[in-house]
């Protein structure tokens, strides 16, 4: 089963790369066929086998022999390994399936936000619907309702942070995608762990922000990947973060 989850991860990783690179350019992700970026030749099914095709073809297009971006190989491999990690960390059930959603969102957001500075709406909407369905199935209506309230609370908090930041800095401080993503964070983790995720994401983003200002002379950087990374860390170590919160609230 672990091997099957790894294989599924590589297949979905390939699809996530398509979603994250085509949707920001308003390209169709379902009907349009995959093509070589260099020669435009439509690729056959055997050119699209995750990991294997890249290795067999030596990282080159089988038609024009131009190099294929290494991104394809690493996204497929990384997604497969993260799915494999989830299968080791969680038994089949609510936490396992939500962990796959967290991983999937993280992969898509890393690609789209770093490459195009955008967090796509459709993956967020699909993720929210799937999480709500899983909560209803495994945890019941009352837990699901409380999670939705937590999600809206996180959304409001991020809206307030954006308004305050924009007022102080005299320019947009957070993107709309970051605010929408906070809804998903609250839905999955609840309000308290959602706040922990926000705090952790700022520490994760700080080195990159400093480097952007110093070396690239840019005051804008993608915040979504750090939110997604913090969500991943907190979800996979939820028990430890809950213990930490219990300890802190004693004082």
């Amino acid at each position: 089963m672990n091997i099957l989850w790894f294989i599924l991860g590589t297949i979905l990783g390939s699809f996530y790369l398509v979603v994250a690179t085509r949707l920001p350019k308003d390209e169709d992700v379902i009907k349009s066929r995959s093509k070589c970026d260099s020669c435009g030749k439509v690729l056959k099914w055997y050119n699209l086998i995750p990991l294997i095709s890249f290795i067999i073809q030596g990282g080159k297009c089988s038609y024009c022999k131009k190099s294929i971006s290494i991104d394809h190989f690493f996204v497929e491999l990384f997604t497969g390994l993260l799915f494999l990690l989830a299968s080791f960390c969680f038994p089949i059930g609510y936490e396992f399936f939500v962990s796959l959603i967290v991983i999937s969102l993280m992969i898509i957001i890393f690609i789209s936000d770093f490459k195009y500075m955008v967090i796509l709406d459709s993956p967020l909407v699909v993720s929210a619907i799937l999480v709500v369905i899983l909560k209803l199935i495994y945890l019941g209506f009352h837990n699901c309702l409380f999670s939705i309230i937590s999600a809206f609370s996180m959304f409001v908090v991020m809206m307030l942070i954006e308004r305050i930041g924009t007022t102080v800095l005299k320019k947009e401080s957070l993107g709309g995608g970051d605010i929408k993503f906070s809804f998903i964070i609250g839905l999955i983790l609840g309000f308290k762990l959602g706040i922990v995720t926000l705090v952790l994401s700022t520490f994760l983003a700080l080195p990159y922000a400093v480097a952007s200002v110093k070396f690239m002379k840019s005051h804008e950087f993608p915040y979504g990947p750090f939110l997604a990374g913090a969500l991943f860390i907190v979800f996979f170590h939820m028990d430890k973060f809950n213990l930490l919160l219990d300890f802190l609230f004693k004082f």
Side-chain angles (χ1 to χ4, degrees), residues 23-210:
L23 284 185
K25 297 182 288 185
D26 293 324
E27 296 178 1
D28 188 86
V29 299
I30 304 298
K31 296 179 181 179
S32 61
R33 300 284 299 278
S34 295
K35 300 177 182 179
C36 172
D37 294 332
S38 300
C39 65
K41 185 76 173 179
V42 175
L43 303 176
K44 304 292 185 181
W45 67 267
Y46 49 79
N47 300 129
L48 300 170
I49 302 173
L51 301 180
I52 296 174
S53 293
F54 188 92
I55 295 171
I56 291 176
Q57 294 167 195
K60 297 180 180 180
C61 173
S62 58
Y63 300 102
C64 67
K65 305 304 178 184
K66 295 288 182 65
S67 295
I68 302 171
S69 173
I70 195 69
D71 293 350
H72 294 269
F73 182 83
F74 280 118
V75 169
E76 291 164 0
L77 177 62
F78 194 54
T79 309
L81 290 175
L82 288 177
F83 271 45
L84 181 63
L85 174 66
S87 71
F88 282 122
C89 290
F90 305 108
I92 300 297
Y94 170 76
E95 288 186 329
F96 173 71
F97 291 121
V98 174
S99 73
L100 299 188
I101 295 172
V102 169
I103 291 167
S104 301
L105 264 182
M106 182 173 69
I107 295 295
I108 293 172
I109 290 172
F110 260 78
I111 299 168
S112 68
D113 211 11
F114 270 124
K115 198 164 187 176
Y116 300 106
M117 293 284 286
V118 62
I119 296 178
L120 301 164
D121 287 341
S122 50
L124 296 179
V125 172
V126 171
S127 298
I129 292 171
L130 291 175
V131 171
V132 167
I133 291 172
L134 288 169
K135 283 183 177 291
L136 287 172
I137 293 172
Y138 286 99
L139 305 179
F141 175 78
H142 291 293
N143 183 285
C144 182
L145 181 61
F146 183 77
S147 296
I148 292 172
I149 293 171
S150 297
F152 277 110
S153 299
M154 282 295 300
F155 183 84
V156 170
V157 167
M158 282 293 276
M159 281 285 290
L160 290 173
I161 293 173
E162 189 276 333
R163 286 290 86 204
I164 294 170
T166 300
T167 302
V168 172
L169 299 174
K170 307 297 183 184
K171 61 180 181 179
E172 188 178 64
S173 58
L174 281 175
D178 300 321
I179 299 171
K180 296 170 190 173
F181 185 35
S182 68
F183 181 92
I184 306 295
I185 293 172
L187 186 66
I188 292 173
L189 296 177
F191 185 73
K192 288 182 181 179
L193 286 179
I195 296 298
V196 171
T197 301
L198 291 185
V199 174
L200 178 60
S201 68
T202 60
F203 285 102
L204 295 178
L206 184 60
Y208 186 88
V210 172

Side-chain angles (χ1 to χ4, degrees), residues 196-243:
V196 171
T197 301
L198 291 185
V199 174
L200 178 60
S201 68
T202 60
F203 285 102
L204 295 178
L206 184 60
Y208 186 88
V210 172
S212 295
V213 173
K214 185 172 183 180
F215 298 108
M216 294 182 281
K217 308 301 180 185
S218 173
H219 292 274
E220 294 183 0
F221 67 95
Y223 183 46
F226 303 102
L227 273 174
L231 170 61
F232 174 83
I233 292 170
V234 174
F235 185 84
F236 273 73
H237 299 281
M238 203 181 307
D239 54 341
K240 297 180 180 63
F241 281 101
N242 276 322
L243 286 173

